[in-house]
Each structure stands twice: as structure tokens, then as C-alpha cells.
Amino acid sequence: MHAALTLTQFILREEALHPQATGEFSSIMLQIALAGKCIARDLSRSGLLDLIGSTGARNVQGEEVQKLDERANQTFIAAFDSSNVVRTLISEEMEKPLTITTAKQPGKYALFFDPLDGSSNIDVNAPLGSIFSIHRLASSGEPVNESDLLKTGAEQVAAGYLLYGPSVSLVYSCGSGVHQFILDPGIGEFLLAAQHVRVPARGSLYSVNEGNYHKWPSGTRRYLDFLKEPDAASGRPYSSRYSGCLVADVHRILLKGGIFLYPAETKKPEGKLRLMYEAAPLSFLLEQAGGRGSTGREPILRIQPKALHQRVPLIIGSREDVRQAEEFIQTA
Ligand code: P6P
């Protein structure tokens, strides 16, 4: 059992390595951790409180908003309200960015987040997550217009996720490797579990909703058929793991290797997942861990966004597995 290093101690130690650091990034990470603890508490009691089920409203994506989706969104907002480091919040649950106007001076950062990923798992006690992405704003003070927010994934200052499973994990990177923390609910602290996490160059797991097989272009179908052909020399057939929660499925791939796909469909070439607060932060993490995040045709981190809630196909995981998937997809 290694000495317990709290998230706070770890972040302050990392901050000390950067003399020019002002502590603003550290405070953002600690507020995200606070939001994660509050959401974990709500999820652990959701069946007992009137938090199960939908609000009856639909979000910007046209998806039914679960009560816990909205509560998680409000939890993130409350964690940053009157913040003088984050100026703008962009959420899957809000059509427009929310500018923090209660701070003494405007913050320098924008926080993109999916407050509760995998909502369909709420009612069946299966894993859920929160995903976040932090960008530095070009200018402070002026009202932030949308074009200031449309930055590539490569420009992220930091990214990460919270995974609400049998334990609560916080995984993040600020460009110097990927670090994992686990919440000790007895003391309410995230403790360091692993630093500089590396994803295996190739795995033996694949994660995809096979119910969509008939919707995929031929190259994607041929890739999935290839993964299922027996061939001991290449570790095939791969094993299938799919939870319906992007964070849970990508976390497994980060630790064990393999590939997650939510690919382009013939009638939906843009796929389902969102670029700014799902594909880009997760691709930032996987690339930091030696893996790769792609649409199947180009690196996620190089995409120049055109809209805040833009969707992209996502093929992410072990570098060799993603490259092989790209070869099949591009020779369709
Ligand atoms: P499907 C959850 O709604 C989500 O956004 C991701 O967490 C998950 O990977 C995906 O959608 C599941 O989508 O179409 O397989 O139910």
C-alpha cells in the first residue's frame, strides 16, 4: 500500500514544478473533484430519492433529460458559480454557453463538460461518468463569443473524466501524462492510484454497439468481422465489452488495451458522440497515454470545430488497433 497521496497534494506538487503557474488550473481541478463527489453521492442514493426517471424535457440533442442529468449539470454550475478562474461553461445539457458574471474579475478558462454520461444506466444501477475539457480563453474581459470557443482538441489545457462505478475514479491529464485517483468515501478524498498510465499498444477487447451493424459502411462491418475471426497469432477473436457508458468503456480500454468504436453510419456520417466534451477530451487522454483517437479518417485532436455541440465518429484506444481500424474504414 503506497503512501496515500491526495489529489490536492498531487496537484500542488505538479503546480510547484511550473514556476509560472498561478494556481488557477489547480483550483479548477479541485472544483471538478468536488462536483464529482457530489454527483457520486447523488447517484448512490438516486433510487431512494425522487431522482430516478426523466424531467420530461429534451436537451439540445433532442434526448430526454433524466432528473439526474439536470441535477449533475446544476452541480457543475454551482461548483463554478462566482468562480474567477472559469469564465464560461459549455454543457451537453445547455444549448448556449453559460457565462459566469458573478466573479470579481472574469476567468481565463472555458470548461466544457458532459455532466452525466450514460444516463440510460441510471435506472439499472450500471456505471456512469462525467467528462470535462478545459481550454484557455484567448482574451479576458470581453464577452466570449462562440468562435473563441471553437478550439481544436490539441489546444486543450487539460481533460479528464469521473467514472461512477463500484468505486469512483477521477482520471485526468494536463499534458504531462495520465493520472488516476480513486475516491475514499470514508475520508472524502481522491487518493492517487496510478500516475503516467500507459495504454497497451494493442489489446484484445473491442467495445461497440453491435445492434448498429447494419447501419455501418462496409469497411466498418469488415473490421468488426475481422476482429471476430479466430486467429491465435493475432490474438483474435477479441472479446466484446459494451456498457452503454462511454466513460466506463473507454476507461477499460485505457487500462487493458483494445478499441472502442462509435463509428460513422451510412445515414449518420457524423456519428453520435460530441466532439468538444466527449471525443476530444477522451482522445487527449488516450494520446497522452500512448494511444490514439480518430474519426476513422482523421485524428480527433486535429479537427477544427464548426459548432459547440458538433458530433463526430469516434474510434479510440490502442494505437495499433485504431490504425488497423482506420485501414479497414478507409478502404471501404
Ligand atoms: P447507444 C450515452 O448516451 C452515450 O452518449 C455514451 O455514453 C455511450 O457510449 C453511447 O451514448 C451509447 O449509445 O446508441 O449504444 O445506446
Side-chain angles (χ1 to χ4, degrees), residues 131-132 156 158-161 171-174 177-179 197 199 250 254 279-291 301 316:
I131 310 170
F132 60 89
Q156 291 175 95
Y161 56 77
V171 176
Y172 87 91
S173 175
C174 53
V178 175
H179 312 303
V197 175
V199 59
V250 171
L254 173 68
L282 295 177
S283 297
F284 181 83
L285 282 179
L286 267 289
E287 302 256 349
Q288 278 288 315
L301 297 185
I316 189 169

Side-chain angles (χ1 to χ4, degrees), residues 63 92 114 117-120 209 212 242 244-247 249 260 262 272-274 278:
E63 295 164 342
E92 181 194 21
D114 179 357
D117 167 68
S119 307
S120 60
N209 181 344
N212 295 329
Y242 192 74
C245 171
L246 173 63
V247 168
D249 291 331
F260 171 93
Y262 209 106
K272 171 180 182 182
L273 301 176
R274 293 83 173 177
E278 289 179 328

Side-chain angles (χ1 to χ4, degrees), residues 114-128:
D114 179 357
L116 201 59
D117 167 68
S119 307
S120 60
N121 284 349
I122 291 173
D123 299 2
V124 295
N125 197 22
L128 294 111

Side-chain angles (χ1 to χ4, degrees), residues 31-41 75-76 162 164 168 190:
Q31 288 305 97
I32 288 172
L34 173 64
K37 291 180 206 175
C38 295
I39 292 169
R41 178 206 54 204
T75 300
F76 268 91
L162 287 132
Y164 311 107
V168 181
F190 279 102

Side-chain angles (χ1 to χ4, degrees), residues 52-73:
I52 295 284
S54 78
T55 60
R58 289 188 177 276
N59 66 14
V60 61
Q61 323 296 341
E63 295 164 342
E64 214 173 26
V65 177
Q66 300 295 314
K67 290 177 185 171
L68 272 169
D69 280 323
E70 185 46 36
R71 189 175 172 105
N73 192 54

